[in-house]
Amino acid sequence: MRIRVPRPRSLAGQLFAVQAVLIAVLVAGYALFTYVSDRNQAEDAAGRQAMAVARSIADSPSVREAIGTSDPTAALQPYALRVMRDTDVDFVTIMNPRGIRWTHPDPNQIGGRFLGHIEPALRGQSFTETYTGTLGPSVRAVTPVHDGPRIVGLVSAGIRVEAISERVRGQLTALIGTAGGALALGAVGTYVINARLRRHTHGMNAAELSRMHDYHQAALHAVREGLLMLDGQYRVALINDGGRELLGVIGDVVGRSVADLGLPAPLTGALLSSEQRVDEVHLTADRVLVVNTSPVSGGERRGTVVTLRDVTELQSLMGELDSERGFTQALRSQAHEAANRLHTVVSLIELGRAEEAVEFATAELELAQALTDQVVAAVSEPVLAALLLGKTAQANERGVELVVSEDSGLDDGLLPPSLPARDLVTILGNLIDNAVDAAQGSVRARVTVTAYTAGGELVLRVADTGEGVDPGHAELVFQRGFTTKPAGPGGRGLGLALVRQAVHRHGGTLSVAGAHGGGAEFEVRLPLREKAAAGGRE
């Protein structure tokens, strides 16, 4: 036999029960208060009615005349009964100053003593009281009958408490009906509100919501990727630790607009966009981020969910891979050319022209060695020398001459560990690639590279013979996405942005100006923090 444990009531159900009980208590309290208040008001109204009847009888001349006769009851009893019927009171008693009744609704009580207090009336005061007489508890008024300065009689008129209660019960019935309607209306309204709440909470109870919140917080801080949630006004509604680290924001940013976070303009524009963004690459001061945005909608735009992935290391590795691929292509091309030259030498030997074969082979070796010696003599730092040799071969394949200027002078061991080879490859490799692209197709296509140290700085300068850079675009060329080239499958406009990021990361400067004889000249200056630039160009 399975024992079924009842599921805890949902949060909406609990709220409904609390609200229903609260409304019932309020309505019951109001009904009780109204009943007591109405009863008090009914008793006050009965006292005023009885006083008005008693005073009108006491002021009647016919009553004073009847009191002066030898048999007051004969004239006053019919008069009292008629007044009772006309004024809707339960009794009218007229008595002498000693309290002996002359009239009463029950004729058998005539001649008996009045049950109640008459002392204040004998002093000339009219008053009301609640007293139990021959007809039961009643609210009565007692007033004196004056004949000049003398008090010749007393008049009492009253309404039974039972009659007052019947009036209040009639009002209470209407009140209970109204209260029941209010309770039913409040219950319906509470049910509608809680039905909506159930939809929003998916029928979960408070414990389930609390547990989900705990899971949410744990997952939020456990995810290494950045997570950012924006509301409908593009203000930060939620950000995890990874998002703070990747965006480089500090302090409490919840509630602040994205435009006030100090992020790069392209990244800010992507976050403020109402369109979905998928795997867009953006740069911050020192990171390369892949950004995805997804609008949150439920009949209306409610906000945006943003995920951030750090691909800085991946981008650097891809840059190195591109350089290695370039080196491989250059070696393949050189191997192909070497094979052609070898076939030429072999053919000359087979034709019996040994001297010409030796002369041809020697000339090719001297040309290749001269290029290597030129590069190594100018830049003996191994990573940069290898990069320049590989880029020279690539440029030659595309019809562009890449030369190292005579002003270059960079010895091995000058670069401190604060300038890793990976960043230097990123900076110089991207500048050369852009220069080759710009120079290709121009007259006497050439790219000139200059590298030296001066004043505690490493200076890298790359000039081309292309069309140059519009002065109005001197700053835009370093932003992600800006390019004058046709868009490729992997996107364009990232190379110079990566160069600027690497330069700024090391506290350097990057500028562009016009080159001598046309084209553009990019200059990078990086401080040598840990080693003086001894032996460099001064």
Side-chain angles (χ1 to χ4, degrees):
M1 179 178 179
R2 296 180 59 185
I3 300 177
R4 184 175 181 180
V5 179
R7 183 174 181 267
R9 186 185 296 272
S10 68
L11 178 63
Q14 295 178 28
L15 289 177
F16 175 77
V18 170
Q19 291 175 353
V21 170
L22 180 61
I23 291 175
V25 171
L26 288 176
V27 170
Y30 176 73
L32 178 61
F33 171 79
T34 303
Y35 172 76
V36 174
S37 176
D38 287 350
R39 183 179 180 86
N40 293 333
Q41 292 177 2
E43 291 181 354
D44 291 342
R48 290 192 297 272
Q49 181 182 357
M51 180 61 73
V53 171
R55 282 181 174 176
S56 65
I57 293 174
D59 292 338
S60 175
S62 60
V63 172
R64 287 196 296 271
E65 291 177 1
I67 291 175
T69 64
S70 59
D71 187 10
T73 300
L76 293 178
Q77 176 69 3
Y79 174 76
L81 295 175
R82 185 169 63 253
V83 171
M84 286 173 52
R85 290 192 301 269
D86 294 341
T87 60
D88 196 22
V89 294
D90 291 321
F91 68 87
V92 172
T93 299
I94 304 174
M95 68 198 85
N96 64 22
R98 295 189 305 275
I100 302 302
R101 303 185 189 98
W102 286 326
T103 67
H104 194 276
D106 182 3
N108 295 326
Q109 301 294 331
I110 296 175
R113 183 174 293 277
F114 176 75
L115 300 180
H117 300 93
I118 59 174
E119 291 81 6
L122 294 175
R123 294 193 297 269
Q125 299 177 2
S126 299
F127 68 95
T128 60
E129 66 175 351
T130 301
Y131 197 87
T132 302
T134 58
L135 299 178
S138 62
V139 176
R140 59 183 64 183
V142 182
T143 187
V145 179
H146 292 272
D147 185 6
R150 294 185 307 113
I151 297 177
V152 297
L154 303 174
V155 177
S156 176
I159 300 174
R160 291 181 297 114
V161 173
E162 183 180 355
I164 298 174
S165 299
E166 290 178 356
R167 297 179 187 179
V168 175
R169 281 195 292 271
Q171 297 175 354
L172 182 61
T173 301
L175 176 62
I176 292 176
T178 303
L183 178 60
L185 182 61
V188 171
T190 302
Y191 176 80
V192 172
I193 293 175
N194 284 280
R196 181 178 180 86
L197 180 60
R198 280 196 300 272
R199 288 196 300 270
H200 285 292
T201 61
H202 301 285
M204 290 186 291
N205 58 45
E208 292 171 333
L209 287 175
S210 177
R211 184 165 55 252
M212 177 170 288
H213 176 268
D214 294 339
Y215 290 154
H216 170 268
Q217 291 295 320
L220 184 65
H221 294 288
V223 174
R224 296 187 60 186
E225 286 75 12
L227 179 62
L228 184 67
M229 295 185 183
L230 309 177
D231 62 15
Q233 303 298 322
Y234 297 101
R235 293 172 301 196
V236 178
L238 183 148
I239 184 171
N240 69 344
D241 297 339
R244 292 178 182 274
E245 181 181 356
L246 295 181
L247 295 179
V249 296
I250 57 176
D252 187 10
V253 298
V254 175
R256 293 173 55 186
S257 172
V258 171
D260 298 333
L261 298 182
L263 303 177
L267 178 56
T268 300
L271 297 181
L272 292 176
S273 174
S274 59
E275 299 178 354
Q276 185 177 8
R277 303 296 181 96
V278 179
D279 291 342
E280 282 194 0
V281 179
H282 288 272
L283 302 179
T284 62
D286 55 359
R287 295 181 185 273
V288 181
L289 303 179
V290 173
V291 178
N292 288 273
T293 66
S294 178
V296 179
S297 60
E300 59 180 8
R301 191 184 183 283
R302 297 183 177 178
T304 306
V305 176
V306 181
T307 58
L308 308 167
R309 282 183 290 137
D310 186 7
V311 293
T312 306
E313 295 294 327
L314 178 61
Q315 193 67 40
S316 298
L317 292 175
M318 289 178 61
E320 291 185 8
L321 180 60
D322 290 340
S323 298
E324 296 296 334
R325 186 181 293 112
F327 295 156
T328 303
Q329 293 176 353
L331 291 175
R332 185 182 299 111
S333 175
Q334 290 178 358
H336 182 71
E337 291 296 322
N340 290 337
R341 297 188 184 102
L342 182 60
H343 290 160
T344 301
V345 171
V346 172
S347 298
L348 288 174
I349 294 175
E350 290 177 348
L351 294 175
R353 299 178 178 272
E355 295 181 0
E356 295 180 6
V358 173
E359 182 179 353
F360 177 81
T362 302
E364 290 298 325
L365 288 175
E366 290 177 352
L367 180 62
Q369 188 62 42
L371 176 61
T372 303
D373 292 343
Q374 178 191 5
V375 172
V376 173
V379 180
S380 58
E381 207 287 324
V383 175
L384 294 183
L387 176 66
L388 290 173
L389 288 173
K391 294 298 183 182
T392 299
Q394 288 181 331
N396 288 336
E397 286 186 350
R398 299 175 61 181
V400 178
E401 181 184 6
L402 190 151
V403 298
V404 179
S405 71
E406 297 178 355
D407 295 334
S408 298
L410 188 61
D411 296 335
D412 187 14
L414 287 178
L415 301 182
S418 60
L419 288 177
R422 175 181 297 177
D423 288 346
L424 292 178
V425 169
T426 297
I427 295 172
L428 191 56
N430 280 289
L431 290 179
I432 292 176
D433 288 341
N434 279 276
V436 171
D437 288 339
Q440 187 176 11
S442 64
V443 178
R444 297 185 61 186
R446 172 180 290 188
V447 172
T448 304
V449 179
T450 305
Y452 61 89
T453 57
E457 291 182 326
L458 170 63
V459 180
L460 302 175
R461 189 178 298 124
V462 179
D464 61 70
T465 57
E467 297 181 356
V469 176
D470 186 343
H473 296 160
E475 179 62 25
L476 294 177
V477 294
F478 300 115
Q479 294 185 6
R480 191 206 72 83
F482 181 88
T483 181
T484 58
K485 311 168 191 176
R492 305 302 291 265
L494 185 61
L496 290 178
L498 290 174
V499 171
R500 184 174 69 169
Q501 183 189 71
V503 170
H504 286 181
R505 186 162 58 246
H506 294 288
T509 60
L510 173 62
S511 61
V512 59
H516 295 292
E521 182 179 85
F522 290 84
E523 182 181 86
V524 174
R525 290 181 175 269
L526 300 173
L528 302 175
R529 295 186 179 91
E530 298 185 8
K531 290 188 178 182
R537 174 181 172 179
E538 299 294 344

